Amino acid sequence: MSGKVFIETFGCQMNTADSEQILGRLGQAGWTAVDTPEAADLVVFNTCSVRDHAEGKIRSRLGVLREQKRHQPSLRIAIAGCMAQREQGELLKKWPHVDVVVGTDQFARLPELIERLDVTGRIAATDFGDWEDDHGVNAAREPGVNAYVPVMRGCNYNCTYCVVPFTRGREKSRQPAAIEDEVRRLVGQGFKQITLLGQTVDAYGKTLGDGSNLARLLRRLHGIDGLLRLRFVTSHPKDISDELLDTIAELPKVAKHLHVPAQSGCDRILRLMGRRYGRDEYLRFVERARSRIPGVELLSDFIVGFPSESDAEFEQTVQLMQQVRFGGAYVFTYSMRPGTPSVRLPDDVPEAVKKARCNRLLSLQLDHQVEQFQALHGHTVEVLVEGESKTDPDMLHGRTIGNRNVVFPKRDGVVGTLQQVTIERSTPLTLFGR
Ligand code: SAM
Ligand code: SF4
């Protein structure tokens, strides 16, 4: 069977990268991508389970598809990714119009599973462990400046609130040679900026047991001609070695930007979260990073309203933010996830309090960004030009080596090159220059 496929991706960059692989493999089997579910013979949802909100969005999309399938009984529907892995065959019971459920290690089999539906009937394939590394050869990527390359899958931490260890399994790193092949090929195709992906990317190599680590991988990739920038996300504070910090500082193409979630500024909450570091250890990491990489930008995630978090404990997170002054922060309200260790703790912080704490952190972060951006007015920064600005077709946008978004007037022939931009003004989220 083949025809037209519509894929919708929810969640993180890892899912975006997986969707490129899913589309690539379906393409090989003769499927062509379309832009709307209405035009499709097959709809694939590549799903996220990190918060209930993400799953709620997917449930509502599935409701809409039920209507479509009523009018178009030949429509095939597949659920891939984290929600598929979490709920497995249960999804088929809950949603009788879904045909295939395919887990995070099994998506390579999607074309075959669809092909054999007439024989097997509705099916869930969610085994772990035999993920096929095809070196990204088949991934269907949009041409452009940016390409994402997963270098590891899974996670060996067990943060008590988090579904990732359940939905993506144990940590497994790809071979450095396979990653290098993929990056060389991508640069050959014209991509300029490669982002290496992993849930705890700074732990890259540990499972290979041959001395591989992220610092060595960065060195190996740095020499590739035509590659302009190398980034990586996300890091865990426990895995950032001095060797890695010094390598980032030394290699000019490596982004001076670390996404290292703190999650909370309170020791008791960090302990309940199972994060394996305390506030002081996080602050020592910040000091190490700033002393070894001058000008490094730090980005954090925070979870507010974790079970039993008091006002005073939340204030410790506010103080951490004030002390560190992050370059950016994602703030989430705690979402109880079935099956995670934290379900044994009552979800006792009222939603309104969670929301208020979330808004407080976001507004403090914006204040810090406004200050940091204003300090850049009149300065010239080097920007890798990524393409047209999302809000104004007469403008281009790009990012600094510290991952700041910069918007400036359009000129021909500069997309994919490094340009010097003088910053003239800013909003809380964007720098504007010429
Ligand atoms: N592996 C990365 C790490 O450890 O930083 C990211 C994991 S997760 C996909 C991204 C962010 O979602 C986490 O850093 C955390 O702040 C947030 N998150 C994870 N589980 C959550 C939950 N149950 N409720 C609210 N936020 C959550
Ligand atoms: Fe989840 Fe913690 Fe692993 Fe990040 S480090 S993916 S938050 S378990």
Side-chain angles (χ1 to χ4, degrees):
M1 186 189 171
S2 64
K4 294 184 177 135
V5 52
F6 170 77
I7 190 164
E8 182 164 0
T9 308
F10 301 84
C12 63
Q13 286 160 334
M14 189 64 92
N15 268 12
T16 305
D18 282 352
S19 286
E20 291 171 348
Q21 294 236 8
I22 292 173
L23 263 190
R25 288 169 196 259
L26 285 167
Q28 270 193 320
W31 292 87
T32 42
V34 290
D35 291 337
T36 61
E38 293 77 26
D41 307 299
L42 166 65
V43 171
V44 182
F45 286 158
N46 192 12
T47 58
C48 172
S49 276
V50 164
R51 283 166 289 277
D52 184 58
H53 180 70
E55 290 196 350
K57 249 187 355 203
I58 296 156
R59 288 192 290 268
S60 107
R61 293 281 211 289
L62 275 170
V64 175
L65 274 192
R66 185 167 41 207
E67 287 311 302
Q68 186 178 339
K69 193 153 176 168
R70 238 199 282 280
H71 308 297
Q72 185 194 344
S74 62
L75 178 70
R76 294 285 173 249
I77 300 171
I79 314 226
C82 289
M83 191 174 169
Q85 191 66 49
R86 195 176 77 70
E87 295 204 44
Q88 308 194 357
E90 284 300 304
L91 280 176
L92 294 178
K93 287 192 202 145
K94 279 192 206 158
W95 301 95
H97 60 304
V98 169
D99 299 285
V100 180
V101 171
V102 67
T104 48
D105 273 4
Q106 293 284 331
F107 58 72
R109 290 180 56 209
L110 188 57
E112 169 209 326
L113 294 172
I114 302 274
E115 185 67 44
R116 298 185 55 229
L117 268 178
D118 288 345
V119 182
T120 59
R122 301 163 67 231
I123 189 166
T126 53
D127 285 352
F128 264 139
D130 50 357
W131 177 65
E132 257 176 57
D133 188 356
D134 77 343
H135 300 201
V137 170
N138 295 311
R141 293 180 160 100
E142 291 280 328
V145 174
N146 285 303
Y148 296 90
V149 175
V151 298
M152 61 197 291
R153 301 179 71 78
C155 178
N156 277 2
Y157 283 90
N158 286 300
C159 303
T160 55
Y161 50 81
C162 184
V163 287
V164 170
F166 304 94
T167 60
R168 292 193 167 268
R170 305 285 297 165
E171 179 183 311
K172 31 202 177 287
S173 291
R174 294 175 64 200
Q175 290 293 337
I179 298 166
E180 184 183 340
D181 278 356
E182 183 169 349
V183 173
R184 280 194 188 279
R185 206 176 43 252
L186 290 170
V187 172
Q189 289 165 5
F191 291 100
K192 305 291 180 195
Q193 176 161 255
I194 302 291
T195 304
L196 308 178
L197 299 179
Q199 294 298 341
T200 54
V201 69
D202 47 338
Y204 169 78
K206 273 189 188 169
T207 56
L208 294 173
D210 60 358
S212 296
N213 63 22
L214 184 62
R216 281 174 216 155
L217 183 66
L218 292 172
R219 279 189 197 283
R220 182 169 181 150
L221 302 177
H222 193 263
I224 295 176
D225 272 347
L227 173 69
L228 296 183
R229 291 254 176 95
L230 204 44
R231 300 183 177 280
F232 58 90
V233 284
T234 308
S235 300
H236 190 286
K238 281 232 75 80
D239 287 312
I240 297 217
S241 65
D242 286 347
E243 180 193 4
L244 178 59
L245 294 174
D246 291 343
T247 304
I248 298 166
E250 181 194 324
L251 301 179
K253 294 179 188 173
V254 176
K256 310 302 176 233
H257 171 247
L258 290 169
H259 184 173
V260 189
Q263 310 295 4
S264 166
C266 164
D267 283 338
R268 190 184 74 88
I269 296 295
L270 286 168
R271 235 183 348 264
L272 285 178
M273 288 177 165
R275 288 292 287 179
R276 308 193 203 176
Y277 55 84
R279 178 196 179 88
D280 285 349
E281 195 177 339
Y282 189 85
L283 288 171
R284 278 199 296 278
F285 147 71
V286 170
E287 225 178 273
R288 272 195 304 130
R290 288 193 167 146
S291 67
R292 285 175 186 265
I293 313 172
V296 67
E297 292 291 354
L298 298 174
L299 178 73
S300 180
D301 298 352
F302 292 99
I303 298 177
V304 296
F306 190 79
S308 75
E309 183 189 61
S310 67
D311 285 338
E313 288 171 328
F314 169 67
E315 286 306 320
Q316 294 181 30
T317 302
V318 173
Q319 285 159 12
L320 180 86
M321 204 180 223
Q322 270 163 339
Q323 200 169 337
V324 175
R325 299 184 105 75
F326 291 96
Y330 296 107
V331 185
F332 306 106
T333 55
Y334 171 70
S335 168
M336 207 245 288
R337 306 309 297 130
T340 58
S342 67
V343 291
R344 68 190 152 73
L345 305 169
D347 186 5
D348 55 359
V349 179
E351 277 312 307
V353 174
K354 287 182 184 171
K355 265 253 128 5
R357 289 180 187 170
C358 182
N359 289 340
R360 171 107 181 271
L361 283 193
L362 285 172
S363 110
L364 181 61
Q365 179 57 38
L366 276 192
D367 291 349
H368 292 165
Q369 267 163 242
V370 167
E371 276 171 26
Q372 292 161 13
F373 282 12
Q374 282 177 354
L376 284 170
H377 292 186
H379 290 261
T380 298
V381 293
E382 188 174 65
V383 166
L384 173 59
V385 188
E386 295 189 5
E388 211 168 74
S389 151
K390 287 188 185 77
T391 50
D392 184 346
D394 294 330
M395 305 291 269
L396 294 172
H397 86 100
R399 278 186 285 166
T400 66
I401 192 94
N403 209 33
R404 299 291 198 194
N405 191 32
V406 182
V407 170
F408 48 95
K410 199 174 232 174
R411 269 183 30 214
D412 289 338
V414 296
V415 173
T417 66
L418 295 166
Q419 296 290 322
Q420 305 298 318
V421 179
T422 302
I423 304 301
E424 293 176 317
R425 64 187 180 88
S426 55
T427 62
L429 296 177
T430 310
L431 293 159
F432 292 85
R434 84 186 134 72

